[in-house]
Amino acid sequence: MPTTDYRTRFRIAPGTRVRLRDHDPGYKDRHRSKKEAAPEIERYARRLRELQYLLYAEGRRSLLIVLQALDAGGKDGTIRHVLGYMNPQGCRVHAFKVPTPEEAAHDFLWRVHQAAPRIGEAAIFNRSHYEDVLVTRVHGLVSKSECKARYAHINAFERLLADRATVILKFFLHISAEEQLRRFRKRLDDPKRWWKLSEADFEERRYWDAYQEAYEDALSRCSTEHAPWFVIPADHKWFRNLAVSRIVVETLEALDMSFPPPKVDIEALRARWRELAGKERES
Ligand code: ATP
Ligand code: MG
């Protein structure tokens, strides 16, 4: 096994000032290609499945995965990969869109709190409460000082969830401006992807720098011990998938979870079983 875990390598240490240009979106560790990395990707994905089964069986804590990215950053693809290996019974995905009138009539954490995972469950947020300090800030819907207050509310809210045994992992899928353009192009060239295109995505690209800045502030102010942010190099889709699943695996491994003890007397049930099987053989 490699010496530094990804949990450490990609984590924003609490209190650090993030500069996204210091993070290479094209990073792929020692891997040369998707093909070469495939066995490792598969290994972490399988381990993820076992650990989620254990989380569900143990029923003592929950897992919350937050995904944020710019348009075409790969949130959907990440969810497909990570979720593809989980048991749907213990896992839910929530996508947060422009707030409905009902949602907008409440505080910004109201809709998010309702989607928090139940005990034993995993929840994946496709966008999240962070939109309220990102898109809103970029478009001047909230002031800088209001944003500051929101970072504090977010940290307190995540503390509340963590105190109730929620393991929180937040991933920023970091792509380069060139890669975003390439992905837009790919969508334009492929009729099967046309449904994914929106003028808004092209429009938002004009605010690229403002978004980077808003992300830098959110990542700097809201990466905490109980709810760390990770900056994931996401220009290579396969590396992004590997990094996210590996961090989830490393985190769940560290919990040292175990199956709960049986609710029944296993030896007595084994004796019963032998008795039943014997009778059926006789008849
Ligand atoms: P995809 O385009 O891949 O299907 P998406 O997450 O981009 O997924 P859209 O319906 O295209 O989904 O966009 C959702 C929009 O809602 C985004 O532009 C996002 O910024 C916006 N949004 C989400 N939360 C908020 C919020 N709290 N305030 C304002 N806008 C928000
Ligand atoms: Mg979109």
Side-chain angles (χ1 to χ4, degrees):
M1 284 301 269
T3 44
T4 347
D5 60 16
Y6 276 17
R7 258 198 316 162
T8 317
R9 194 173 316 173
F10 297 112
R11 188 181 79 130
I12 300 302
T16 332
R17 178 80 223 149
V18 178
R19 281 184 0 153
L20 284 173
R21 58 183 175 284
D22 295 341
H23 296 256
D24 175 13
Y27 181 79
K28 46 190 167 127
D29 202 357
R30 63 197 151 75
H31 299 292
R32 262 162 288 130
S33 64
K34 176 179 180 178
K35 198 162 166 235
E36 180 264 319
E40 192 166 325
I41 296 171
E42 179 71 16
R43 188 155 52 86
Y44 281 105
R46 279 179 191 284
R47 185 69 187 129
L48 183 59
R49 181 198 307 230
E50 292 168 359
L51 286 162
Q52 187 235 341
Y53 181 66
L54 191 50
L55 181 88
Y56 188 68
E58 193 198 44
R60 287 183 48 207
R61 44 199 139 199
S62 350
L63 172 67
L64 172 60
I65 295 175
V66 169
L67 292 178
Q68 284 288 157
L70 293 180
D71 296 304
K75 291 181 277 94
D76 283 1
T78 308
I79 292 171
R80 271 198 307 277
H81 178 81
V82 172
L83 208 72
Y85 284 85
M86 289 192 178
N87 177 357
Q89 188 147 258
C91 187
R92 292 168 204 236
V93 184
H94 299 269
F96 294 97
K97 310 278 181 180
V98 178
T100 63
E102 176 70 10
E103 289 168 348
H106 289 83
D107 70 83
F108 78 100
L109 291 169
W110 180 75
R111 63 173 182 168
V112 185
H113 204 167
Q114 297 183 58
R118 298 175 191 169
I119 215 84
E121 278 186 357
I124 302 184
F125 285 180
N126 180 348
R127 301 186 189 269
S128 64
H129 42 304
Y130 283 92
E131 290 295 322
D132 292 278
V133 290
L134 294 164
V135 65
T136 47
R137 172 169 150 183
V138 168
H139 291 284
L141 302 174
V142 291
S143 65
K144 266 206 164 162
S145 69
E146 195 172 351
C147 241
K148 260 198 173 155
R150 286 187 178 188
Y151 299 136
H153 287 310
I154 288 175
N155 289 340
F157 166 65
E158 292 176 350
R159 172 90 255 173
L160 170 67
L161 298 186
D163 283 349
R164 203 176 177 268
T166 308
V167 175
I168 306 171
L169 299 172
K170 301 178 296 196
F171 298 103
F172 171 56
L173 311 177
H174 182 37
I175 56 166
S176 61
E178 302 77 58
E179 179 61 19
Q180 188 192 49
L181 260 196
R182 253 195 303 277
R183 291 184 188 179
F184 284 171
R185 176 71 207 237
K186 236 173 139 185
R187 290 181 184 183
L188 283 171
D189 289 348
D190 178 359
K192 288 202 189 103
R193 294 176 201 251
W194 285 352
W195 67 274
K196 272 202 152 219
L197 281 168
S198 83
E199 273 166 16
D201 293 355
F202 285 66
E203 216 26 54
E204 289 302 285
R205 192 179 155 82
R206 294 198 303 157
Y207 302 99
W208 182 274
D209 291 338
Y211 269 108
Q212 301 291 309
E213 210 179 286
Y215 266 107
E216 285 177 344
D217 281 350
L219 299 171
S220 304
R221 291 182 180 268
C222 300
S223 194
T224 55
E225 293 294 344
H226 58 276
W229 267 111
F230 299 86
V231 175
I232 303 296
D235 273 3
H236 301 287
K237 295 175 179 175
W238 57 269
F239 185 76
R240 171 202 77 204
N241 290 344
L242 170 63
V244 170
S245 48
R246 183 166 158 178
I247 290 166
V248 179
V249 164
E250 286 171 351
T251 305
L252 293 180
E253 298 263 20
L255 296 178
D256 219 3
M257 295 183 286
S258 53
F259 286 103
K263 296 188 208 78
V264 293
D265 180 343
I266 297 290
E267 276 319 309
L269 276 185
R270 282 208 172 111
R272 272 288 312 273
W273 183 89
R274 280 193 295 271
E275 199 185 305
L276 284 172
K279 271 204 191 119
E280 278 175 30
R281 235 175 279 132
E282 275 165 29
S283 60

